[in-house]
Amino acid sequence: MKKSTLCVHAGHEPEPVTGAVMPPVFFTSTYVQKAPGEHQGYDYSRAGNPSRTVLEKALAELEGGNHGFCFSSGMGAVDCVLKTLSTGDHVVAMNDLYGGTYRLFRQSYEKLGIGFSFIGCSSAAEIEAAIQPTTRLMWIETPTNPTLKVVDIELCAQICKKHGIVLVVDNTFASPLLQNPLALGADVVMHSMTKYIGGHSDLIMGGLVTSDNRLAESLFFNQKSTGATPGPMDCYLALRGIKTLHLRMKAHVENAGQIAQFLQGHQKVAQVYYPGLPEHPGHLIAAKQMNGFGGMLSFELKNNSAENARIFLLNTRLFVLAESLGGVESLASHPASMTHASIPAEVRLANGISDGLIRLSVGVEDVEDLMEDLNAALMQC
Ligand code: P1T
């Protein structure tokens, strides 16, 4: 089935009792049992709720996997994967990651005795050199947040397979419409569903998909044991978001492509980071593994400073200054003081997050209005 058809139909059929085209929302915490231990597949909503089942099935179908799991945040999903590890295990991670992921790794899991090596993931030799006898997991984002670096998923998968390492890809920036890591050899795909999947900046949610039955068992155990599970209304909203994901992604990609070119040609702009630009170092890999270059981009002004970025961010009107991304509305942010503030300044700088870096989540508004808005703010800098 093609992706657009899947978006509309994934996860459910019309409801058999009433014929309702949309699945009902099951506002219940518990389920009656015929006799102790005899139930109809659901006993308590932390372990399972039919509204969540529909969404988990839809997410798994969109990513081409067999098992889907949803969480009350993207970080809940990251945490669920990390809980498959034990003290003494080692993780190889991309060095450009969402600040919250980096914080969880360094501040929560390192003290439990799990080791991390953060690398650029730019060649087989670099990845091989980071692998230790205790390496159990490789964690990558691609494109990365916020510098839009591209990691070759197939290359990572080949190396991980050789060493028996589980490869996890945070696919948040691409969405399941533009990139499917499992098909490229990854073991687990992760999403902050808060972003493109929800699509309307009205919920916080995370998701995982795998086709590996043993991993799935362990993820399900961690999901129900730690309990970072979403409520039924949020599951319904996310399912509703999925139904237009293909339409929204098309508009995000088109608008972001035009805005990247516009910024690249602008007199006030020094550097644009967008994988769709032929000059981007990851352009060819992105073209190979993605079906469109996404709706996110970052850039630096010619006079690259935190102060100048602040002037720009205070002068946009349509691009509102806010964390998060992937909603229908355009957002602008300052990673150094917002989404990536929990990363030490020297680590940020080493990974290309300058104090003047500006990140845009390009929405689905009219692109000429968006460019006019950007131009007006740029001319103040
Ligand atoms: O916010 P939450 O749903 O818990 O997801 C965390 C997360 C994980 N991975 C990536 C790539 C992300 O971008 C995020 C959340 N990011 C933002 C809030 C942000 O503005 O970048």
Side-chain angles (χ1 to χ4, degrees), residues 73-75 98 141 145 170 172 192 194-195 324-325 339 359:
S73 70
M75 291 318 302
Y98 167 57
E141 270 178 28
N145 182 1
D170 182 336
T172 299
S192 168
T194 312
K195 317 297 192 257
S324 204
L325 59 114
T339 50
R359 191 187 76 179

Side-chain angles (χ1 to χ4, degrees), residues 13-20 24 26:
E13 303 270 321
E15 194 268 326
V17 178
T18 62
F26 287 82

Side-chain angles (χ1 to χ4, degrees), residues 65-69 71 77-86 89 136-139 160-161 164-169 181-182 185-190 208-224:
N66 294 337
H67 310 278
F69 304 93
F71 300 84
V78 180
D79 184 67
C80 181
V81 176
L82 268 283
K83 283 207 165 78
T84 61
L85 300 175
S86 307
D89 287 350
R136 301 277 173 266
L137 199 74
M138 180 169 186
W139 189 283
C160 284
K161 286 234 151 48
I165 295 166
V166 170
L167 174 65
V168 188
V169 179
L182 298 184
D187 300 292
V188 181
V189 54
M190 179 260 152
L208 297 173
V209 179
T210 185
S211 286
D212 182 312
N213 293 342
R214 278 185 52 195
L215 262 173
E217 223 174 273
S218 167
L219 296 174
F220 176 62
F221 175 83
N222 293 343
Q223 182 196 37
K224 80 170 179 195

